[in-house]
């Protein structure tokens, strides 16, 4: 991570004119420059193309003369627009004075152009928000701009929305957004946190975060410059910490917005290890991260070693790439594939050289969630789950840790005395050969949240099927034993492990 000078990137609108931001917001909303308005204007294919950094369909869809088309071209597609086309829509003179707009042809020019990208973004409660970012960075991703302007601040991307979706959204007093970028996580946190602190080493990012919050009509955040936990005051703790850090594992730190500047996956490790002492009891820290798969080392053990003392952890690997796939992905992200063949090959070789020196055979990507706990033996779950899930997952994450508490507090005897309910939208599938009298196995499958599937035996399937909260687990097992002609004592002895698994994975929920 590093700073940026005004010599490399354009100047920004003033962050000291909230009155202008408020009037600009009203004008944008008045012209339906919103996520819903964009979808209606552009149509689904052109709208989806923007997420892939493809603007031609949107340019074709905005060739008319409506105010909304002019605003899309101006703020989202970076096209100069005649002053007369927006004079009745925007407070143009104020926007020119405060730096939201500029005249590309000088003072005498008849066109105006935006100095930043502004992307409409729908909040989880139906809010109309606007994400400010550097020119060329509002849609899709860097699109190669990072190779030319290292200090740029990106807009909304898949990683941003993924982190926002998995974050636990219970009301909290203090939230911390580390490496805020364009302020997306701070914007979300402002909905349920009394105080939001946002940090970034890049002062340009803090300026843009202030613009994002102001233009979205959101509360201001405490903005602090510095790397990782440096801006956090000694003894200061939070109820929620979130970070979409520059996690890319690369040789060097060429691109501020994505490269951590530490060796290997040390930045992500440092971030995770440093979070525990800065969390209040019961508080959550949630990160996106990359981690190395090192020859001769279990990747799960590597991640377990990151978890700070006094924290439960749930770590999910969503994807793993071999080193060649990984290098190609991020070389393309920076636009290096468009450089000369010799330069591209040299950079590709440098990535592979770095990985070989570290004995790295692959790179994993996923989510890391910590929760501060007073438990004598914290729980650490590391798993691979590349399958489809249902966002938002924040409630699923919160419920996972609640179930951990329940299982920790209940031994087998207490478990059998407990009452359970089958979770919503769980279905049973029977798998076997056609015409067979009995299935080879039974599968329980979730249609919400993590969308897990798990094999169960006849007892497990029968038990789950009658769990409606009325009978205790022990009473249900006694009834199953009688039906199956089994010894109820033996059945009570061997079934709690299966019940624990079904509770842990969210198929069963404690009732009452």
């Amino acid at each position: 991570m590093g700073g940026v000078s005004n010599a490399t990137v354009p100047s920004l609108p003033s962050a000291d004119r909230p009155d202008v931001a408020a009037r600009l917001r009203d004008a944008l909303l008045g012209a339906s420059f919103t996520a819903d308005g964009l979808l209606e204007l552009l149509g689904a294919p052109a709208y989806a193309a923007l997420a892939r950094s493809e603007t031609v369909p949107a340019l074709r869809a905005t060739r008319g003369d409506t105010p909304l088309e002019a605003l899309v071209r101006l703020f989202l597609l970076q096209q100069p627009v005649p002053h007369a086309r927006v004079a009745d829509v925007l407070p143009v003179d104020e926007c020119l004075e405060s730096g939201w707009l500029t005249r590309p042809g000088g003072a005498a020019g008849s066109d105006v152009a935006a100095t930043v990208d502004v992307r409409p973004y729908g909040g989880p409660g139906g809010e109309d928000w606007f994400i400010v970012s550097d020119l060329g960075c509002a849609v899709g991703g860097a699109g190669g701009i990072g190779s030319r302007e290292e200090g740029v601040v990106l807009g909304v991307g898949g990683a941003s929305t993924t982190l926002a979706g998995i974050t636990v959204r219970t009301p909290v007093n203090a939230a911390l957004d580390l490496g805020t970028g364009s302020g997306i996580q701070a914007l979300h946190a402002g909905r349920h946190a009394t105080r939001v602190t946002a940090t970034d080493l890049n002062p340009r990012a803090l300026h843009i975060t202030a613009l994002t919050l102001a233009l979205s009509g959101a509360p201001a955040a405490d903005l602090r410059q510095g790397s990782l936990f440096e801006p956090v005051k000694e003894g200061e703790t939070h109820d929620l910490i979130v970070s979409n850090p520059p996690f890319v594992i690369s040789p060097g730190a060429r691109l501020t917005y994505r490269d951590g500047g530490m060796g290997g996956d040390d930045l992500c490790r440092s971030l995770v290890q440093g979070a525990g002492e800065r969390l209040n009891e019961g508080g959550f820290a949630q990160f996106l991260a990359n981690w190395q798969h090192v020859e001769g080392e279990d990747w799960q053990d590597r991640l377990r070693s990151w978890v700070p003392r006094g924290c439960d952890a749930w770590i999910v690997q969503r994807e793993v790439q071999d080193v060649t796939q990984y290098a190609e992905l991020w070389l393309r992200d920076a636009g290096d594939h468009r450089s000369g063949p010799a330069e591209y090959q040299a950079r590709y070789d440098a990535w592979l050289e770095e990985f070989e020196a570290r004995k790295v055979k692959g790179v994993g990507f996923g989510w890391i969630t910590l929760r501060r706990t007073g438990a004598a033996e914290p729980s650490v779950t590391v798993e691979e789950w590349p399958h489809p899930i249902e966002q938002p997952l924040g409630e699923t994450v919160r419920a996972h840790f609640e179930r951990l508490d329940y299982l920790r507090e209940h031994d087998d005897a207490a478990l059998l005395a407990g009452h359970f309910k089958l979770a919503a939208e769980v279905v049973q599938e029977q798998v076997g050969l056609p015409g067979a009298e009995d299935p080879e196995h039974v599968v329980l499958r979730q249609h919400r949240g993590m969308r897990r599937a798990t094999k169960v035996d006849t007892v497990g399937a029968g038990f789950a099927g009658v769990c409606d909260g009325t009978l205790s687990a022990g009473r249900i097992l006694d009834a199953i034993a009688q039906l199956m002609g089994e010894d109820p004592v033996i059945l009570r002895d061997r079934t709690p492990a299966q019940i624990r698994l079904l509770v842990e994975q969210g198929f069963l929920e404690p009732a009452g």
Side-chain angles (χ1 to χ4, degrees):
M1 298 171 67
V4 60
S5 70
N6 288 333
T8 58
V9 284
S11 59
L12 294 170
S14 171
D16 299 324
R17 294 293 305 273
D19 56 327
V20 177
R23 282 192 281 276
L24 176 55
R25 171 179 171 78
D26 289 343
L28 297 178
L29 293 176
S32 296
F33 186 70
T34 63
D36 290 341
L38 276 189
L39 181 59
E40 183 176 350
L41 170 68
L42 302 179
Y47 189 75
L50 287 177
R52 303 191 299 270
S53 301
E54 296 291 348
T55 58
V56 172
L59 286 167
R60 291 177 58 84
T62 54
R63 291 178 292 188
D65 57 4
T66 67
L68 179 56
E69 287 169 292
L71 293 180
V72 171
R73 282 184 165 254
L74 183 65
F75 285 114
L76 196 56
L77 302 177
Q78 303 99 57
Q79 301 295 306
V81 174
H83 182 288
R85 282 198 62 190
V86 292
D88 295 332
V89 184
L90 298 176
V92 175
D93 291 339
E94 290 177 285
C95 287
L96 285 166
E97 179 188 354
S98 59
W100 287 95
L101 298 177
T102 186
R103 292 185 184 273
S110 61
D111 288 346
V112 294
T115 57
V116 288
D117 279 339
V118 176
R119 176 173 177 174
Y121 180 78
E127 302 91 345
D128 287 312
W129 288 340
F130 299 98
I131 309 299
V132 179
S133 62
D134 270 310
L135 291 173
C137 297
V139 295
I145 194 169
S147 63
R148 302 190 306 276
E149 298 174 358
E150 299 179 13
V152 295
V153 178
L154 301 190
V156 182
S160 305
T161 55
T162 294
L163 179 59
I166 68 172
T167 300
V168 176
R169 297 296 177 191
T170 52
V172 297
N173 183 41
L176 172 64
D177 175 17
L178 279 176
T180 187
S182 57
I184 300 164
Q185 308 308 324
L187 189 56
H188 278 276
R191 296 184 71 246
H192 62 102
T194 304
R195 300 194 317 274
V196 177
T197 301
T199 73
D200 206 291
L201 184 58
N202 183 357
R204 190 176 185 84
L206 298 177
H207 191 129
I208 283 181
T209 290
L211 297 175
T212 289
L213 296 176
L215 195 59
S216 297
D222 180 1
L223 304 178
R224 304 180 191 174
Q225 185 180 353
S227 180
L228 299 180
F229 291 104
E230 287 176 4
V232 179
K233 300 170 186 175
E234 185 174 353
E236 185 179 15
T237 55
H238 296 81
D239 306 297
L240 174 67
I241 299 173
V242 293
S243 184
N244 175 21
F247 53 67
V248 176
I249 300 170
S250 64
R254 196 161 55 97
L255 304 179
T256 302
Y257 69 85
R258 68 169 206 193
D259 298 333
M262 296 186 184
D265 50 18
D266 284 354
L267 182 136
C268 291
R269 176 184 54 78
S270 299
L271 192 61
V272 174
Q273 289 181 336
E277 64 188 276
R278 295 171 174 91
L279 278 177
N280 292 324
E281 185 76 17
F284 287 92
Q286 298 186 262
F287 315 102
L288 300 186
N290 273 176
W291 44 79
Q292 298 173 147
H293 284 232
V294 179
E295 187 177 341
E297 176 184 272
D298 187 314
W299 67 271
Q300 294 182 326
D301 289 342
R302 182 182 192 85
L303 289 172
R304 287 189 185 96
S305 74
W306 291 10
V307 178
R309 294 174 59 186
C311 288
D312 292 324
W314 184 19
I315 302 173
V316 181
Q317 179 168 275
R318 293 289 288 158
E319 182 182 8
V320 61
Q321 294 181 313
D322 67 46
V323 293
T324 59
Q325 291 174 311
Y326 189 79
E328 290 162 14
L329 170 68
W330 293 111
L331 286 168
R332 286 182 175 274
D333 172 83
D336 290 329
H337 60 300
R338 303 191 190 105
S339 61
E343 183 179 353
Y344 176 74
Q345 290 174 11
R347 284 186 170 160
Y348 197 153
D349 187 65
W351 282 65
L352 297 186
E353 186 74 21
E354 176 87 0
F355 285 134
E356 184 176 340
R358 293 179 175 274
K359 298 184 178 179
V360 176
K361 58 183 180 178
V363 178
F365 166 81
W367 323 318
I368 298 176
T369 299
L370 307 177
R371 185 190 60 166
R372 188 77 185 175
T373 179
E377 295 185 15
S379 168
V380 177
T381 301
V382 184
E383 63 174 320
E384 187 164 17
W385 191 254
H387 312 294
I389 52 95
E390 180 190 50
Q391 285 274 38
L393 267 180
E395 180 60 23
T396 298
V397 174
R398 185 201 61 77
H400 167 87
F401 287 94
E402 277 201 352
R403 294 193 301 270
L404 283 183
D405 287 341
Y406 178 88
L407 293 173
R408 237 185 328 233
E409 295 164 1
H410 291 73
D411 60 16
D412 286 357
L415 199 68
L416 292 174
H419 295 239
F420 300 92
K421 293 187 299 184
L422 189 66
E425 297 195 37
V426 173
V427 298
Q428 176 179 305
E429 300 173 357
Q430 296 186 348
V431 181
L433 293 173
E437 185 174 343
D438 296 313
E440 292 180 18
H441 56 262
V442 177
V443 174
L444 298 181
R445 187 179 301 277
Q446 301 167 349
H447 283 275
R448 301 291 299 275
M450 292 292 287
R451 294 181 174 171
R452 296 186 186 276
T454 188
K455 289 183 183 180
V456 291
D457 60 17
T458 304
V459 173
F463 181 86
V466 297
C467 278
D468 60 5
T470 57
L471 295 176
S472 70
R475 291 281 303 277
I476 293 173
L477 290 179
D478 290 344
I480 292 175
Q482 186 175 2
L483 284 172
M484 298 180 63
E486 288 199 29
D487 185 331
V489 175
I490 295 176
L491 198 60
R492 278 173 171 257
D493 187 56
R494 69 176 172 87
T495 307
Q498 189 170 189
I499 296 174
R500 284 185 182 278
L501 180 64
L502 292 176
V503 172
E504 181 182 345
Q505 293 191 343
F507 290 94
L508 295 177
E509 299 172 348

